[in-house]
Amino acid sequence: MDPALEVQTAPQELVPRRRPTQERSRRKFDALLAASRELLTEVGFESFTCEEVASRADVPIGTLYQFFANKYVIVCELNRQDLVGVQEELAQFNGKIPSVDWLRFLNSFVDHMAGLWTTDPSRREVWLAMQSTPSTRATGAIHERKFAEQVERMLAPLTPDTPRPRRKLMAEVLVHVVYSMLNFSVQDDQTHADAVVELKRLMVAYLQVAEQDSRARAKKRKRLQARAEEAATGDGDGSREKGETADADTVPDSSETPETSEAEEAATSPA
């Protein structure tokens, strides 16, 4: 079966056939990926060929195929590299949440990522290439989920009373929105700086509401615990506890989240 056709009909994670362990092989592997970025930026994915990559890297085509089955695997490895690089940088941001300055650090990190997309055009080309087939999209989703796992761990101190499944979904939404918006920001008919400002508004408003929701849940949980203790010791009849238990996991109303107006303000003004 044609490898390209196989990629189209069998969605699965695409990975290199092998990763080099020897220094000489690593140099060839890295040279092939560097040439791939250069070629992808120059000609786009449709005109991208393994033969031209091997030629630019000064590597025999047989050596390229020892590592990569086809060009789809190459772009998936480039995408993985991009995300791993961001994850390493994000690790330095870890610990800043939930400090009082977390919004400022978030602002700086978004600026940093936006800068990567403007100074390195290959990032957008890789992202676009990842949308080309079911298997590349499936691989991209796997990469994003791994990134989201790191984001979820960072969100935990900010939203300690948010159920874990919801926090997991929040992290996946954030990662997907960030990459979609960064791609949007470098389109020819867009003003990059304005698009980045809108991305910050979305993230700040989303995270502030999530933080407030978690606080409200914590307050409600403590009230219910106190009433349960009163009922157990005979200091109360527990009737209020029964009346409120059913909505313990619902989204708090406006009376319990006085900070909501701040989130709304953040959503309508630059971060």
Side-chain angles (χ1 to χ4, degrees), residues 157-185:
L158 184 68
T159 58
D161 276 77
T162 297
R164 186 172 180 180
R166 182 177 178 186
R167 190 160 56 234
K168 178 177 180 293
L169 178 60
M170 288 169 51
E172 291 176 352
V173 167
L174 283 169
V175 169
H176 187 74
V177 166
V178 166
Y179 275 90
S180 296
M181 282 295 293
L182 287 175
N183 176 62
F184 175 80
S185 76

Side-chain angles (χ1 to χ4, degrees), residues 25 58 76 90 158 266:
S25 294
D58 196 23
C76 286
L90 188 61
L158 184 68

Side-chain angles (χ1 to χ4, degrees), residues 153-220:
R153 290 192 294 271
M154 294 182 65
L155 289 177
L158 184 68
T159 58
D161 276 77
T162 297
R164 186 172 180 180
R166 182 177 178 186
R167 190 160 56 234
K168 178 177 180 293
L169 178 60
M170 288 169 51
E172 291 176 352
V173 167
L174 283 169
V175 169
H176 187 74
V177 166
V178 166
Y179 275 90
S180 296
M181 282 295 293
L182 287 175
N183 176 62
F184 175 80
S185 76
V186 292
Q187 292 180 7
D188 294 337
D189 58 346
Q190 297 297 331
T191 302
H192 176 71
D194 290 344
V196 172
V197 167
E198 296 306 312
L199 172 58
K200 291 178 182 178
R201 287 176 173 175
L202 286 170
M203 294 182 69
V204 167
Y206 187 67
L207 288 174
Q208 283 189 324
V209 170
E211 182 184 24
Q212 293 157 15
D213 178 36
S214 184
R215 288 178 183 172
R217 288 174 184 273
K219 291 177 182 178
K220 183 169 290 186

